[in-house]
Amino acid sequence: ELWKSFLNLKSFLFSYFSFRMIYTKRSDVLMMTPWFAPIVWEGTYNSEILNEQFRQRNVTVGLTVFLACGRSAEATGPTFLETAETYFMVGHRVNYYIFTDRPEEVPKVALKEGRNVVVLQVQNYPRWQEISMRRMEMLSYFSQQRFINEVSYLVCVDVDMKFNDQVGVEILSDLFGTLHPGFYTAERRSFTYEHRPASQAYVPSDEGDFYYAGGFFGGTVTEVYKLTKKCHEAIMVDKANGIEAIWQEESHLNKYFLYHKPTKILSPEYLWDDNLGRPEILKKRRFLAVPKNHAAIRNK
Amino acid sequence: MKNVSLTMPVIWYRCPFLIYSSGHYRRLKILHTYIFSLISCRRTDVLLVSPWLAPIVWEGTFNRDILNAQYRQKNFVVGVATFAVKKYVRFIEGFLGSANKFFLSGHRVNFYLFTDHPEKVPSINLAPEKRLFIIPVQNYSRWQDISMNRMDIISNHIHSHWRYEVDYLYSMDIDVQMFEHIGVEIIDTLVGTISSWQYTKPRDSNSYERHPESRAAIPHGEGDFYYAASFYGGSVSEVYKLTTACFKGVTEDRANGIEAKWHEESHLNKYLLYHKPTRLLSPEYYWDEELIRPRIIRVKRLSSVRKDLQEVRF
C-alpha cells in the first residue's frame, strides 16, 4: 500500500498531495442533505486524502455481523469474510465481530495484517424476526462492554451480503445510515415507515427525510451505542404492548434517524441488490445481497 | 418528482424534528419549505462537498431551522475575535451594528474587540444574548505586523481564558459589514472561508507562498482551495492549534528575514492544506467589495467595506 512506502510523515504528506485531485462533481444526484450530511457517491471524494487522514489517527474499525444463528454458516460466512478482506477498509486496522450461537462454525479465513476476527457467542432465537431485532440489544451491550475500548468506529451490517467494490473510510462519520436501495427514488408517502401510532417506531405520514436500510449503519461507538440502546428499548416497549413494527428493527432505526439525523449518508452503492437492475446513477455496486439458498437454510 | 427550492412559497409541515424536554417529546413547529428528490440537486453550479467530504456552505444548500434545532440543544457559546487598531477603529460601529443584527442571531456570542483606542469604541446596544469585551492591545508601526500578530494574541487568549468561556471561536476582520444572516451553518470543528479572489482560478495561479525559504511555502502542484484569513474559526482547541502553528511559522520567517506573500494568510493556507477544514464557507461569507460578484455568489453575507487602503493603513 501507498502509505507503507513513506516512513517520514512530512515527505509522505508532500508526496501524496502532488497527486492530481481527481474528483468529478456529480450533478445527477443529491450530494448533501440540508443539515450538511454528505451523501457518499462515487466521484464525490478522494480516497487518498481520506485514507491519510484516518491513518494519521490510527483508527481501528469494528465490523459487526450476526452469523448463523439458525442458518447455515457455510452459506454466507466465507464469502462475506473473504470479500471483506479484499474490499473493506483496506490498509486500516479492522476487527471483525462475529456474533454467533455456533462459534465452531465460524469460517477460517486468512486475514491481512492488522485485522482480527473476534467471535462473540450469543443466544439463538426461533423466529428470524426475533433474531433480527435482538441485534440491537447485543450491539448495545457489547458496545458498552467491549467495543468502546477496542475500536473507534462501528459498522453494523447484514451477513447475507458480499463486498464487490471499495468500502473504505469515506463512510466513517459520527453517525451514518444507508439509503435503502428500494426507496431512494421514491416519494415519502411510499416509505414503509411504521404508521401505527401504537408502535414506538411510529412516524407520522407527513414526516420523514429518507428511508434508511437496516442492513448497513454505523458511526462512533458512542453514537452506535445510543442508537442501538434506544432501538432496543423501543422494541421492548412494543413487545410489552403486543405489537411488532412492520420492518422490525429497520422501522425503529428509521425513527431514530429522523430525530437524530445522521452526519453522513451512504448512497445505495453501499447496499445493493442486483435484482433491482443497474441504473445509470449507480457507478459502483460495493456491497451486494447474496441470493439466499432457501432450501439449505430451511433444512438446517 | 417534486423539487422545491428554498425560495418557493413556504409550506407548513408538522415538524419532523422533536426535542427532548424533561423526558417528554415536545413538538417544535418549524417552517419546512423543502421537499427534495434524491435524484436532482438544488445547486448543480457549485461544488457542495470537498474531496474529503467536508460540506461547502452555499445559499440554497441548507435548512437553517433544522440546524438551529440541533444547535439549541447543546447550549454553545461562540466567541468572535476582531482587531481595530489605529485608524481601523472607524470600522467598529459598522461591524458591531451589523453583526448584532446578522451574526448568529438569537444565539450566545461573545465579541472580543482588541483595540489600542478603547476610548474610541462607540456604545452600541447589543441584543441580550450578545456580549462585548473590549481588550486593550499594543499597536505596531507596520500594518503587516499588526495583522500577523493577531495569531499570537488569539492563541494566548485561548490558552489563558477563552477555552473556559466559549466552545467555538472565530477570527474576523473588523473592516467588514454583514448584509445577510450568518447562522449556525458556520459552526464546525475547523472552518475556513474560500477566498473571493481565488475561488475560480486554477490551482497554479493561486496566491500561495511558493518560495521554499518561507515556512508558509506550498510546493507547486499542491493545494486545495485558497482560504481567506479574514474569516476562519472552529472549536477552541482547533483554533488554538491553528493560530499557534501559524504564528510559529511567522516567527521563524521573521528570524530568517522573510515575510510571506500574503502574511498570516499564507501561513493559514499552509496549515489548512495539511489540516483540512471540516467545513468550508463559500465566498458568500467573505466577499471582497472590490470584485464584481459573479452569479454563483447568490448572496453577499459579509463583505469588506470600501476604503482607501493607502489612507487607512499608513
Side-chain angles (χ1 to χ4, degrees):
Chain A
E1 290 102 33
L2 186 66
W3 63 270
K4 274 189 184 165
S5 47
F6 296 99
L7 300 171
N8 181 316
L9 182 67
K10 196 166 182 208
S11 74
F12 166 71
L13 284 172
F14 276 112
S15 307
Y16 101 79
F17 273 108
S18 63
F19 290 109
R20 275 201 64 76
M21 293 227 284
I22 302 156
Y23 59 89
T24 56
K25 191 160 56 84
R26 296 277 303 255
S27 54
D28 54 338
V29 290
L30 189 68
M31 291 203 349
M32 203 165 66
T33 68
W35 61 91
F36 292 125
I39 305 179
V40 186
W41 301 88
E42 175 62 13
T44 62
Y45 63 91
N46 181 302
S47 291
E48 281 141 7
I49 299 177
L50 288 169
N51 273 327
E52 204 270 334
Q53 284 181 330
F54 283 92
R55 278 299 323 158
Q56 272 191 326
R57 291 166 51 193
N58 206 18
V59 152
T60 308
V61 179
L63 181 63
T64 69
V65 276
F66 290 76
L67 187 65
C69 289
R71 293 197 244 176
S72 166
E74 294 119 48
T76 51
T79 318
F80 180 91
L81 279 176
E82 280 160 11
T83 55
E85 277 296 292
T86 312
Y87 292 114
F88 182 76
M89 303 286 165
V90 174
H92 299 273
R93 298 160 58 88
V94 174
N95 285 356
Y96 297 103
Y97 293 112
I98 319 262
F99 291 81
T100 180
D101 60 335
R102 295 179 219 177
E104 66 284 357
E105 285 187 21
V106 175
K108 304 276 181 289
V109 171
L111 299 178
K112 294 193 183 116
E113 193 188 323
R115 300 163 85 97
N116 306 299
V117 165
V118 175
V119 179
L120 301 164
Q121 183 159 16
V122 292
Q123 189 185 348
N124 189 12
Y125 292 91
R127 291 174 64 235
W128 68 262
Q129 295 91 337
E130 186 72 32
I131 296 168
S132 197
M133 293 192 294
R134 287 285 175 178
R135 295 194 294 182
M136 290 295 180
E137 177 182 22
M138 294 187 239
L139 284 170
S140 76
Y141 175 77
F142 280 96
S143 294
Q144 189 192 37
Q145 285 291 310
R146 178 161 191 162
F147 302 154
I148 188 81
N149 300 318
E150 295 181 356
V151 296
S152 318
Y153 292 94
L154 280 175
V155 178
C156 308
V157 298
D158 278 353
V159 75
D160 47 354
M161 309 284 295
K162 67 177 186 209
F163 290 89
N164 189 51
D165 212 325
Q166 182 209 13
V167 174
V169 294
E170 70 277 0
I171 72 173
L172 299 179
S173 188
D174 283 358
L175 182 64
F176 67 85
T178 308
L179 300 176
H180 193 293
F183 294 96
Y184 66 99
T185 57
E187 287 191 26
R188 182 197 280 156
R189 57 166 175 259
S190 344
F191 292 166
T192 55
Y193 293 143
E194 174 56 67
H195 288 303
R196 295 170 290 174
S199 168
Q200 296 297 302
Y202 169 61
V203 174
S205 56
D206 57 354
E207 292 181 23
D209 306 314
F210 300 95
Y211 192 75
Y212 301 96
F216 196 158
F217 63 90
T220 58
V221 178
T222 317
E223 287 300 320
V224 172
Y225 170 69
K226 288 197 279 191
L227 182 160
T228 51
K229 181 159 182 281
K230 190 104 193 78
C231 287
H232 170 60
E233 283 166 0
I235 289 170
M236 289 294 122
V237 170
D238 269 6
K239 233 188 192 347
N241 293 333
I243 190 169
E244 189 174 281
I246 181 170
W247 286 106
Q248 297 83 46
E249 83 278 11
E250 186 176 88
S251 305
H252 291 276
L253 180 82
N254 271 278
K255 170 136 187 180
Y256 187 86
F257 276 150
L258 179 54
Y259 302 132
H260 306 82
K261 296 187 188 307
T263 55
K264 198 178 264 187
I265 295 180
L266 309 185
S267 66
E269 294 171 5
Y270 288 86
L271 190 75
W272 190 250
D273 188 333
D274 276 338
N275 288 330
L276 296 167
R278 307 248 178 131
E280 185 66 41
I281 59 160
L282 210 71
K283 306 295 181 200
K284 282 193 172 184
R285 293 142 50 240
R286 304 170 192 264
F287 194 46
L288 295 173
V290 167
K292 295 202 231 306
N293 183 343
H294 288 287
I297 292 163
R298 286 201 204 113
N299 290 340
K300 277 280 170 184
Chain B
M1 254 347 114
K2 280 184 250 172
N3 184 24
V4 179
S5 78
L6 289 172
T7 57
M8 292 277 284
V10 164
I11 303 166
W12 276 94
Y13 274 79
R14 277 170 67 217
C15 171
F17 200 85
L18 301 178
I19 57 173
Y20 285 86
S21 168
S22 46
H24 304 286
Y25 284 104
R26 195 180 67 203
R27 292 211 170 227
L28 186 82
K29 260 217 154 110
I30 59 167
L31 296 172
H32 200 62
T33 64
Y34 188 64
I35 309 165
F36 49 83
S37 150
L38 293 171
I39 306 302
S40 41
C41 194
R42 283 161 299 156
R43 284 208 60 173
T44 51
D45 53 338
V46 287
L47 191 66
L48 293 194
V49 277
S50 73
W52 56 94
L53 295 175
I56 307 178
V57 183
W58 296 92
E59 173 66 11
T61 64
F62 61 94
N63 182 307
R64 202 176 271 136
D65 299 310
I66 299 179
L67 297 171
N68 271 331
Q70 289 177 325
Y71 185 80
R72 281 215 174 83
Q73 290 181 312
K74 295 172 191 163
N75 217 17
F76 287 140
V77 183
V78 172
V80 174
T82 186
F83 293 73
V85 172
K86 292 200 207 169
K87 293 183 187 173
Y88 277 70
V89 295
R90 71 175 72 155
F91 299 115
I92 295 176
E93 185 160 12
F95 176 88
L96 283 177
S98 63
N100 187 43
K101 193 172 167 200
F102 290 117
F103 189 78
L104 287 173
S105 170
H107 300 284
R108 293 175 62 194
V109 178
N110 291 354
F111 291 102
Y112 298 106
L113 175 63
F114 292 88
T115 181
D116 57 345
H117 288 289
E119 72 287 355
K120 289 194 184 168
V121 179
S123 65
I124 296 182
N125 255 341
L126 291 179
E129 60 283 341
K130 306 271 188 293
R131 292 164 72 189
L132 175 65
F133 297 85
I134 302 169
I135 307 166
V137 75
Q138 186 189 350
N139 70 41
Y140 296 90
S141 47
R142 292 180 69 240
W143 70 265
Q144 297 91 331
D145 288 328
I146 296 171
S147 195
M148 292 193 289
N149 289 343
R150 292 189 295 178
M151 292 280 188
D152 185 38
I153 294 170
I154 289 174
S155 150
N156 289 336
H157 275 80
I158 291 177
H159 185 74
S160 58
H161 39 274
W162 289 347
R163 60 184 160 141
Y164 307 114
E165 292 175 12
V166 298
D167 303 286
Y168 292 90
L169 186 81
Y170 290 82
S171 167
M172 294 172 74
D173 279 358
I174 190 82
D175 54 346
V176 299
Q177 273 220 313
M178 292 174 220
F179 299 95
E180 196 41 75
H181 282 283
I182 293 178
V184 297
E185 67 274 10
I186 70 169
I187 307 292
D188 207 333
T189 314
L190 184 60
V191 182
T193 307
I194 299 173
S195 169
S196 46
W197 285 91
Q198 302 300 329
Y199 180 80
T200 49
K201 288 205 177 127
R203 185 190 290 158
D204 267 17
S205 69
N206 272 340
S207 297
Y208 294 139
E209 175 56 65
R210 298 288 189 191
H211 290 113
E213 303 84 44
S214 167
R215 289 286 178 274
I218 294 174
H220 283 282
E222 291 184 24
D224 311 314
F225 299 93
Y226 190 77
Y227 303 101
S230 311
F231 190 2
Y232 65 88
S235 69
V236 159
S237 56
E238 286 301 319
V239 175
Y240 177 73
K241 287 193 261 183
L242 183 160
T243 50
T244 310
C246 287
F247 192 69
K248 182 161 177 278
V250 166
T251 313
E252 285 170 12
D253 272 6
R254 276 177 182 160
N256 294 331
I258 316 168
E259 194 166 273
K261 189 198 300 190
W262 290 108
H263 324 104
E264 87 277 16
E265 190 170 85
S266 303
H267 292 271
L268 177 81
N269 271 277
K270 173 143 185 185
Y271 185 87
L272 289 178
L273 178 57
Y274 300 134
H275 306 82
K276 295 188 185 304
T278 58
R279 192 168 295 187
L280 282 69
L281 305 181
S282 65
E284 295 168 7
Y285 288 82
Y286 179 75
W287 188 255
D288 192 321
E289 193 50 52
E290 292 178 45
L291 300 172
I292 300 167
R293 191 154 50 101
R295 284 171 84 214
I296 58 167
I297 311 291
R298 292 184 187 174
V299 169
K300 184 181 67 177
R301 301 181 198 269
L302 192 153
S303 143
S304 61
V305 173
R306 273 190 202 286
K307 57 192 171 286
D308 178 351
L309 282 174
Q310 281 294 106
E311 185 268 320
V312 77
R313 279 176 175 169
F314 301 99

